[in-house]
Amino acid sequence: MKQERILLSHGSGGKLSYQLTQEMFLKAFDNEFLSPLNDQAIFDLSASRLAFTTDSFVVSPIFFPGGDIGKLSVCGTINDLAVGGAEPVYLSASFIIEEGILIQELRIIVDSMARTARQTGVKIITGDTKVVEKGKGDKLFINTSGIGIIRNDRTFSPHLIRPGDMILVSGSMGDHGIAILCHREGIQMEVPVESDCAPLYNLVHDMVSQSDGIRAMRDPTRGGLATTLNELAISSNYGMIIKEDLIPVKEEVRGACEILGFDPLYLANEGKLIVIASQESATAVLEIMKKNPLGRDAALIGTVVDKPQGKVLLETAIGNKRFLDMLSGEQLPRIC
Amino acid sequence: MKYIDEFRQRDAARKILEKIHGISGKKVTIMEICGTHTHTIAKYGIRNSLPSNIRLISGPGCPVCVTSAADINKVVEFCKREKDVIIATFGDMMRVPGTESSLQEQKAMGKDIRVVYSPLGALDIAMANSGKQVILYAVGFETTVPTVAATILLAREKGIKNFSALALHKLTPPAMMALLDSGELDLDGFLCPGHVTAIIGAKAYQFLAKKYHAPCVVAGFEPLDALYGLYLLMKQLEEGKAEIEIQYKRVVTWDGNIKAQRIIEKVFEICDSNWRGIGKIPLSGLRLKEEFAHFEAEKRFSLANGIDEELQGCACGKVLKGIITPDQCPFFGSTCTPETPAGPCMVSFEGTCAAYYKYGYSQYKTTD
């Protein structure tokens, strides 16, 4: 492409649009469903149960330590399918691009999407591009939708959760939230924090193929561990009790949280799982998780209890108990 | 983490609690002045672990909460009037309601209002937007003032013309004195704020011990700091003493941070200040000195005084003075929640109502 930057004409549907699609999207995502450039992708799926999800990504900055908006957009949708026990197979990708963004930047993002999709064996088979005037967007917004196949008759749902079940996490909490925040605000830590942004299907596959004790899974994205556990508690109508001491949080993330006045339990994660497993299977599930690189730091952090219904209790580091509520509003830096 | 994990140890906490339980059955009321203490006490479930004879009440130690409605209305009105202006402010200040609107609502209506993480962030915005005026809407106690003062000095040194500050800083000791003078409270002692005292020095509380016979313990913000601070207070009360003690010796000294005090004195002078819920407290605020008048947003833009009108029925004033606890407010947990706050104490992260709600809501409002 001769142009260095995205022009409004790249979204006009004319020659520049065609060029952008041919030279960027088709090259990167290359597959038999996308290449005919039809208005739709037609495919066969031999499955009786499918999962379908959609998500939009508006992160700022679009590049951050450990990832970029492209990787995030693919991981996010893959993970939403994976936690339902579905094998992600096809994605759509819609780009809303702000006039003026460097084509080279867009290329890096698109390549990152293609690489992340390949990692999980997912194909990006349909998409769309719109260009908005400078000042009318924030560089780049991406929407991805995904279809996944559920290859067995198992269901994972908060409704299956029972008292006595164990609560596990696949690794340290808050890495993505702190990475984005420090990068956005130019806060330099002695040990920089990288986002945990990763596609989790392979980890989920290891777990569900080797254990039938998993009741429910969630990826604790916005709102973090605390909010997601509250959602699970409300949906299951049981209580949850977790121990602060057992929750993995990287030293550098804790350090940044102490400085900024944030709580790592409310920070976003983009490559972590919360798993509720039956009491009998929890140790085995933990071992399976630990064998996968994405679950290396997995930990058992608590249990499901009868009461208080729909609420999460935290046993604090000094041994007292208190409620762990959902996130209210946004976490903001403290004043003193 | 060094200096953190040491102060969150379970066994040590148990031991201090045992000591507190064993010290006396005397009924006492202790005020924690600082919002961060309120937060620590709630976050670690400390209030529930204390013996029933110790009543902990929260004071006016949240800088966002004590900013008067008039001072919020003033900025809101200014936003409505002016075009090429950027307001830079700290976190929760965005959400606190004035009488009719908040900065957050003004931002949603298209006004350029930005959250900064430090006063220098506002200066960076000014340097990147030379065609616009940037106003730092600065609240905070003694802890925040040195960085605002340093930013103003830097702005002068760099000759930055499009930067000014609306500084609404407040001083802690005069507020403590005003609470005692009001006669509305029967306080036995104060858990004093670690960060504020790191700047002003523990000697700033001498008058409390001498004139009011109120023991003061300056404590840090980790759970063991707060617990040990409470133990020291209980010990003094049991022994009939009224002294100024420093629990937070790793940060706080008797004289404070002299360098920070000098930089404050260079830029600011003491003035009367209007506190939400309390009213005007003599000599409890800071304003820019005459030589920095060109950095004073109020003068530069002739800001009109805002209406000093609280939201109807909001009991934040009584909460700030420690007259009632949040659960005694009829709005608490019903019409006033962090999602739908009626007043600043529920808005701010350091607000008393927010801490009570976030960490202890169910114990007050449900039978679970």
Side-chain angles (χ1 to χ4, degrees), chain B residues 3-58:
Chain B
Y3 300 125
I4 298 223
D5 291 338
E6 291 95 321
F7 298 94
R8 292 182 185 173
Q9 288 175 14
R10 187 179 298 231
D11 291 346
R14 291 288 132 206
K15 280 179 191 159
I16 302 171
L17 268 170
E18 275 169 27
K19 280 185 163 200
I20 293 175
H21 276 266
I23 207 162
S24 133
K26 197 159 124 185
K27 277 191 182 291
V28 296
T29 303
I30 292 168
M31 175 178 274
E32 86 273 357
I33 284 291
C34 179
T36 314
H37 272 149
T38 302
H39 193 80
T40 298
I41 287 164
K43 184 176 179 184
Y44 289 94
I46 290 176
R47 186 173 274 103
N48 302 337
S49 65
L50 294 174
S52 58
N53 59 308
I54 302 178
R55 183 169 162 250
L56 278 185
I57 57 170
S58 310

Side-chain angles (χ1 to χ4, degrees), chain A residues 64-76:
Chain A
F64 48 83
D68 55 68
I69 190 171
K71 183 179 179 185
L72 194 64
S73 70
V74 173
C75 291

Side-chain angles (χ1 to χ4, degrees), chain B residues 65-67 69 72 96-99 276-278 309-321 324-326 328-332 335-337 340-347 353:
Chain B
C65 306
V66 296
T67 303
I72 293 169
V96 184
T99 308
R276 190 188 282 246
I278 301 176
E309 202 175 285
E310 305 287 338
L311 291 161
Q312 279 273 314
C314 173
C316 279
K318 285 184 178 171
V319 173
L320 284 165
K321 287 195 277 190
I324 61 166
T325 50
Q328 291 174 302
C329 169
F331 288 179
F332 180 77
T335 52
C336 185
T337 67
T340 55
C345 297
M346 188 60 96
V347 173
C353 298

Side-chain angles (χ1 to χ4, degrees), chain A residues 244-255:
Chain A
E244 193 170 26
D245 288 349
L246 301 179
I247 303 165
V249 179
K250 282 183 183 148
E251 194 84 336
E252 51 270 34
V253 172
R254 286 180 61 200

Side-chain angles (χ1 to χ4, degrees), chain A residues 181 185 245 251 254-255 258 261 266 308 311 315-320 322-323 325 328 332-336, chain B residues 1 4-5 8 10 13-14 42-45 49 63-64 90-92 117 144 338-339 350 357-359 362 368:
Chain A
L181 191 81
E185 301 303 330
D245 288 349
E251 194 84 336
R254 286 180 61 200
E258 290 300 329
Y266 290 96
K311 293 190 186 300
E315 188 177 312
T316 70
I318 63 166
N320 295 331
R322 66 155 166 94
F323 287 98
D325 204 358
S328 286
L332 292 163
R334 64 167 157 239
I335 288 175
C336 60
Chain B
M1 238 174 343
I4 298 223
D5 291 338
R8 292 182 185 173
R10 187 179 298 231
R14 291 288 132 206
K43 184 176 179 184
Y44 289 94
S49 65
V64 169
F90 307 128
D92 288 338
Y117 288 62
T144 327
E339 291 73 36
E350 291 172 46
Y357 187 92
K358 184 175 178 191
Y359 299 120
S362 300
D368 287 334

Side-chain angles (χ1 to χ4, degrees), chain B residues 61-184:
Chain B
C62 161
V64 169
C65 306
V66 296
T67 303
S68 71
D71 284 329
I72 293 169
N73 290 337
K74 183 191 288 188
V75 179
V76 166
E77 287 308 312
F78 178 70
C79 283
K80 286 182 186 168
R81 197 182 75 204
E82 294 290 328
K83 278 184 183 164
D84 285 330
V85 167
I86 300 170
I87 307 281
T89 192
F90 307 128
D92 288 338
M93 215 50 229
M94 295 285 286
R95 300 176 60 217
V96 184
T99 308
E100 284 175 5
S101 180
S102 65
L103 288 175
Q104 183 174 251
E105 283 168 6
Q106 291 301 308
K107 185 172 190 286
M109 289 164 80
K111 305 297 176 187
D112 197 347
I113 301 165
R114 305 185 194 183
V115 171
V116 288
Y117 288 62
S118 81
L120 283 172
L123 201 58
D124 289 341
I125 294 171
M127 289 192 280
N129 294 274
S130 54
K132 292 188 173 184
Q133 287 292 330
V134 175
I135 298 177
L136 172 64
Y137 185 31
V139 301
F141 295 107
E142 292 90 334
T143 331
T144 327
V145 190
T147 53
V148 173
T151 304
I152 286 166
L153 289 174
L154 187 64
R156 183 170 74 170
E157 189 187 313
K158 287 180 177 261
I160 295 167
K161 305 282 185 213
N162 64 327
F163 173 81
S164 58
L166 180 62
L168 299 166
H169 297 292
K170 296 200 168 15
L171 302 173
T172 312
M176 294 162 83
M177 187 161 73
L179 287 178
L180 290 168
D181 283 340
S182 73
E184 291 180 284

Side-chain angles (χ1 to χ4, degrees), chain B residues 201-219:
Chain B
K203 66 180 180 190
Y205 308 112
Q206 261 178 312
F207 72 96
L208 291 167
K210 283 184 182 163
K211 186 177 170 191
Y212 299 92
H213 202 71
C216 293
V217 175
V218 182

